[in-house]
Amino acid sequence: MKILDSQGRLFGKLSILDVGATLIILLVVVGIFFFPGTSGSVAQVGVTTKPVQIDVIALGLKGRNLQDLLKPGDKVNMIIRNQPYGQVDIKSVNLLTRTVVVPQPNGTAKALPDPREEESFSRNMMFTLEGKGQITKDGPVLGNLKIKIGNTVELEGFNYNFNASVIDVRVQK
């Protein structure tokens, strides 16, 4: 009796393709259940969590009493690259005065507050925010996103949503 006949069957009963497929399925099942690998994300192994302070600047905000919306000590929802991070603490809020350059009679220039009426409804503000971040070799990570100077973030509250740019990142000790 031949081991393999002319139709590719073992001992005239089993197809060699069926045996090969069964072996592959068996090896996959054994690999999944007996060698599952490490659990958890590789990015989270050996990282530390520390407070991270972020300075953000929001330009051209429209509204009457913007300084009353965001106060030091409040919490604000932060969105980094369209991914919600969660709430961060507001450490400080600075209203940046818009200025215009005015030439002086002696040839020098002086920066004075902008007198235009339409600019009274447009504000520039700088915020210092603090949240918990994982410190990796590439820098701080808030949520699952790296936070770096130049990132755009959204600050969202009950009745506002501001776009801002990160201008400084500091890891607290």
Side-chain angles (χ1 to χ4, degrees):
M1 172 180 233
K2 292 184 184 180
I3 295 177
L4 192 61
D5 65 5
S6 63
Q7 294 179 344
R9 293 183 296 202
L10 291 173
F11 304 112
K13 296 185 180 194
L14 297 172
S15 170
I16 196 162
L17 294 176
D18 291 339
V19 172
T22 305
L23 260 169
I24 289 174
I25 291 172
L26 184 65
L27 288 173
V28 168
V29 169
V30 168
I32 289 173
F33 290 111
F34 292 111
F35 303 102
T38 60
S39 62
S41 171
V42 176
Q44 296 176 356
V45 175
V47 296
T48 58
T49 302
K50 291 185 178 180
V52 177
Q53 282 192 352
I54 305 158
D55 288 338
V56 297
I57 190 165
L59 303 174
L61 300 177
K62 308 290 187 216
R64 288 183 181 250
N65 297 319
L66 294 174
Q67 58 271 22
D68 295 336
L69 288 177
L70 299 163
K71 297 177 185 163
D74 289 350
K75 292 193 178 288
V76 64
N77 293 319
M78 187 165 73
I79 301 167
I80 307 167
R81 288 190 228 130
N82 295 328
Q83 299 293 321
Y85 164 68
Q87 290 192 333
V88 293
D89 296 323
I90 300 174
K91 292 296 181 185
S92 69
V93 178
N94 295 324
L95 186 63
L96 305 174
T97 307
R98 286 184 181 251
T99 58
V100 292
V101 178
V102 178
Q104 300 297 306
N106 62 1
T108 62
K110 193 178 208 182
L112 296 174
D114 194 345
R116 296 178 293 174
E117 186 176 327
E118 64 268 13
E119 292 302 321
S120 64
F121 293 106
S122 179
R123 301 278 188 225
N124 296 337
M125 299 179 84
M126 187 174 86
F127 307 98
T128 300
L129 309 171
E130 185 173 275
K132 295 282 185 188
Q134 296 175 345
I135 310 306
T136 65
K137 62 181 173 116
D138 294 332
V141 175
L142 299 179
N144 288 326
L145 298 167
K146 294 177 189 175
I147 190 77
K148 298 195 180 255
I149 295 172
N151 283 125
T152 56
V153 296
E154 288 181 54
L155 305 178
E156 184 179 54
F158 177 72
N159 57 351
Y160 61 87
N161 186 337
F162 299 145
N163 288 325
S165 294
V166 176
I167 58 173
D168 193 18
V169 178
R170 295 178 302 280
V171 178
Q172 302 300 304
K173 301 206 185 236

PDB file of all heavy atoms in Angstrom, residues 1 7 12 97:
ATOM      1  N   MET A   1       0.836  -1.163   0.000  1.00  0.00           N
ATOM      2  CA  MET A   1       0.000   0.000   0.000  1.00  0.00           C
ATOM      3  C   MET A   1       0.893   1.242   0.000  1.00  0.00           C
ATOM      4  O   MET A   1       1.791   1.366   0.809  1.00  0.00           O
ATOM      5  CB  MET A   1      -0.903  -0.042   1.231  1.00  0.00           C
ATOM      6  CG  MET A   1      -1.692   1.198   1.440  1.00  0.00           C
ATOM      7  SD  MET A   1      -2.695   1.036   2.893  1.00  0.00           S
ATOM      8  CE  MET A   1      -4.247   1.428   2.222  1.00  0.00           C
ATOM      9  N   GLN A   7      -3.960  10.905  -6.284  1.00  0.00           N
ATOM     10  CA  GLN A   7      -4.846  12.043  -6.014  1.00  0.00           C
ATOM     11  C   GLN A   7      -4.378  12.867  -4.812  1.00  0.00           C
ATOM     12  O   GLN A   7      -5.084  13.771  -4.371  1.00  0.00           O
ATOM     13  CB  GLN A   7      -6.273  11.549  -5.786  1.00  0.00           C
ATOM     14  CG  GLN A   7      -6.867  10.931  -7.036  1.00  0.00           C
ATOM     15  CD  GLN A   7      -8.270  10.413  -6.788  1.00  0.00           C
ATOM     16  OE1 GLN A   7      -8.690  10.254  -5.655  1.00  0.00           O
ATOM     17  NE2 GLN A   7      -8.971  10.117  -7.877  1.00  0.00           N
ATOM     18  N   GLY A  12      -4.754   6.684   1.035  1.00  0.00           N
ATOM     19  CA  GLY A  12      -5.988   6.583   0.271  1.00  0.00           C
ATOM     20  C   GLY A  12      -7.202   7.168   0.957  1.00  0.00           C
ATOM     21  O   GLY A  12      -8.308   7.060   0.464  1.00  0.00           O
ATOM     22  N   THR A  97      -2.235  92.191  26.624  1.00  0.00           N
ATOM     23  CA  THR A  97      -2.725  93.444  26.072  1.00  0.00           C
ATOM     24  C   THR A  97      -2.266  93.582  24.631  1.00  0.00           C
ATOM     25  O   THR A  97      -1.091  93.396  24.319  1.00  0.00           O
ATOM     26  CB  THR A  97      -2.193  94.632  26.895  1.00  0.00           C
ATOM     27  OG1 THR A  97      -2.510  94.413  28.267  1.00  0.00           O
ATOM     28  CG2 THR A  97      -2.812  95.926  26.433  1.00  0.00           C
TER      29      THR A  97
END
